[in-house]
Amino acid sequence: MNLLDGLNPEQRAAVELPAQSALILAGAGSGKTRVLTTRIAYLISTGQVSPHGILAVTFTNKAAKEMVTRLSAMLPINTRGMWIGTFHGLCNRMLRAHHREANLPQAFQILDSSDQLSAIKRVMKAQNVDPEKFIPRDVQNFISGSKEQGLRAHEVEAYDPFTRRKVEVFAEYDAQCQREGVVDFSELLLRCYELLQRNQQLREHYQDRFKHILVDEFQDTNPLQYRWLKLLAGRNNALFAVGDDDQSIYAFRGANVGNMQELLRDFHVENVIKLEQNYRSHGNILDAANALISNNKGRLGKNLWTSENGGEQLRVYEAETDVDEARFIVEEIQELKREGVKLTEMALLYRSNAQSRVLEHALVSAGLSYRVYGGLRFFERQEIKHTLAYLRLMENTDDDNALLRIINFPTRGIGARSIEQLQEAARINNTTLWDAAARAGGKVTAFVGLIESLRSGIAGLPLPEIMEHVLHHSGLVAHYESEKAVASKRREAEERLENMNELINSATLFVHENEDDSLTAFLTHASLESGEHQAGDGDDALHLMTVHAAKGLEFHTVFITGLEESLFPHQNSIDNNDLDEERRLMYVAITRARRRLYLTFAQRRMLHGQTHYSRVSSFMRELPEALLHWITPRYSASPSFQPSSYEANSYARAFAANPKVPMEKAPPSPSAMWRIGQRVFHQKFGEGVVTGTEGSGNEGRVQVNFKRAGSKWLALEYAKLEAI
């Protein structure tokens, strides 16, 4: 089979590019993973590079595994030794190989987000930093954000005493991690970058090895990731970057869409290939996405198209309330289900998690199965983290975070005061908690003996048996078995025991899939996997998720809910007068749909315990009218929001109800002219929001809540209101 069979002209051109740096602008559903994988296979099969001369970077372990699987199917090669993985995974691999040069112990452990937060809290407590004034999670974000910019504590500019205090915590936190032989996620990349930057021999070694560097989802790279790539690429290697600036939606995580423009300049890129043919969605969906995103400034520019037909128009529903919106969605889901569309092929997307409550309530009431995508991950569950903490401490007794998590779990009579004394002793003697515990006596000594016993008990055991031994001899299984006897805890305890059994299964699978099946390797795997979404149980269930969580997914039918100004786009973006990323987020939401797309919004919505009167999202006005099918009367489709538009709709509805009545005689009702939640202006009373309507024709009235004058009923005939 020819590797290039089935590729469209643009895909083929990307795969066959010469050994020069290139940017592939890959639109949603354009087959970017196929292009990236085929490019690797093409380079190897044509003898341009060996499998060991490839460095391929992805953003998730799932994507990396998919790439390896596809390569194995394309070429008869051993992919085990290839460098294909995430930024964190590849940096971990490099640091393991050169731990001495990186000033790290060979068995260094990786702190996940919660363990990092615990470590920061310990530093803050030791330095008497007020957690009310300095929120630990804010300090954590400050430290991680600084590292992602490539900055150490001494390099951060502290303009005020508040920032200086955070810098002091940052510096001591780094020192504590160094003492304990642990690194956080941001440290993996920064430590690896610093290693390559200062060690010319090592840097040149990897530059000579990796002649071809390929990067997926390049628009999501942060500044440090790009600098790391530039170091490895050097002056002579080819950087093949695949990405889509229109889908850059992770600025809050540090992603810098400007890296794409920098790539063009820094690498003198001559080859920019646009993958615009979409293999996912019908034409009307793509036309809507193209029209919307065309309003963004500074785009590299592309236009999605499909060889399929236009398909259905986008269905628009304007609800009176969020409850009405949820009711409508449930009814449509039930109808789609009757038509044969599986629940798992449908998704409800929302901008904010706060929106899900009403949707979930409606789904439960209707007896529809659903799953909130992005819930608690497997390796983040309490019982799993407890088990891993035992394993981490057995592997590296300098890991204070692990010790603190399990020293009194299950309960063994070591109270908070004893732990404080232990921490104080470690601080005074400048040692780890383990060293202090070894000299403490009493119940703490018994805990040390337990860990030593566990360490000797697993000697020579294969990884799955290590898991089983620790689960039973640590007391964890007995603890949750005892909780099963309590009726109120039975179900939770059973689930926790099932999860611990699943950990053994995870270890078994790990042994089969990895050459290095050591405990250290598995613990690294668990830390790196903790940010991955775990697969569901396979039940036919509707998907609920934020738009951010939906990136990379696709569904037969998509509902984009809550399309209201200040909700989507978010108020923060409106206040900052920067809607580009919000518009990209909407673009991502639209392009998740293959066949049917619903756009819904409500006049009134309950958020954070308060009723909010809403205006339709400005994004709705950026969608061509010809692509929209209004299920409800089109009250708010007119860009001008003028009453004349509502009158016209009122006439149309009256004529539809009774064709014998001439349209010009159909009297407009207040609700046809003014909708609840609409902002209006009155020459005497100023700005206000419509909160009610009643009556019809010239006898109708409209209620407006004015900012200055309060709530007033105005006769329709004399209201003289203007829409704003």
Side-chain angles (χ1 to χ4, degrees), residues 40-175:
I40 296 173
Y42 175 79
L43 290 170
I44 295 172
S45 65
T46 55
Q48 297 183 56
V49 66
S50 73
H52 297 287
I54 292 283
L55 180 75
V57 190
T58 68
F59 267 83
T60 67
N61 290 316
K62 180 181 178 182
K65 290 177 182 176
E66 181 182 353
M67 190 178 294
V68 169
T69 300
R70 291 194 185 194
L71 271 176
S72 299
M74 288 180 174
L75 296 174
I77 59 173
N78 183 358
T79 58
R80 281 200 165 195
M82 294 185 67
W83 283 61
I84 299 176
T86 65
F87 281 100
H88 293 119
L90 293 171
C91 286
N92 168 70
R93 184 171 177 177
M94 201 171 288
L95 290 173
R96 297 283 177 194
H98 308 285
H99 64 91
R100 291 188 184 87
E101 293 90 337
N103 193 24
L104 287 169
Q106 186 173 8
F108 70 84
Q109 296 300 316
I110 303 170
L111 301 178
D112 63 16
S113 181
S114 63
D115 286 334
Q116 181 191 21
L117 184 61
S118 298
I120 290 169
K121 287 178 179 178
R122 286 194 285 120
V123 171
M124 292 175 62
K125 185 173 183 180
Q127 292 190 336
N128 294 316
V129 178
D130 184 359
E132 297 294 325
K133 185 177 180 181
F134 296 87
I135 307 301
R137 193 166 292 281
D138 290 346
V139 177
Q140 179 183 30
N141 292 336
F142 171 79
I143 292 173
S144 296
S146 298
K147 288 185 178 184
E148 286 166 5
Q149 296 294 321
L151 301 175
R152 289 293 180 191
H154 68 274
E155 297 171 311
V156 177
E157 292 191 47
Y159 296 101
D160 53 66
F162 187 79
T163 306
R164 281 197 294 273
R165 198 73 177 102
K166 289 196 289 187
V167 168
E168 290 171 359
V169 174
F170 182 2
E172 178 54 31
Y173 164 76
D174 265 0

Side-chain angles (χ1 to χ4, degrees), residues 535-549:
D537 55 11
D539 291 344
D540 185 28
L542 188 75
H543 297 277
L544 272 68
M545 67 190 78
T546 64
V547 182
H548 280 104

Side-chain angles (χ1 to χ4, degrees), residues 126 181 439 571:
R439 297 190 295 267
Q571 186 63 47

Side-chain angles (χ1 to χ4, degrees), residues 633 648-663 666-667:
N649 277 288
S650 176
Y651 298 155
R653 291 196 305 279
F655 182 77
N658 186 0
K660 295 180 181 180
V661 178
M663 286 187 68

Side-chain angles (χ1 to χ4, degrees), residues 30 42 279 450 470 477 480 506 517 586 588 594 609 617 689:
S30 62
Y42 175 79
Y279 294 92
L450 170 65
V470 171
V477 169
Y480 290 116
S506 175
D517 59 0
M586 180 66 175
V588 167
R594 293 199 300 266
S617 169
V689 176

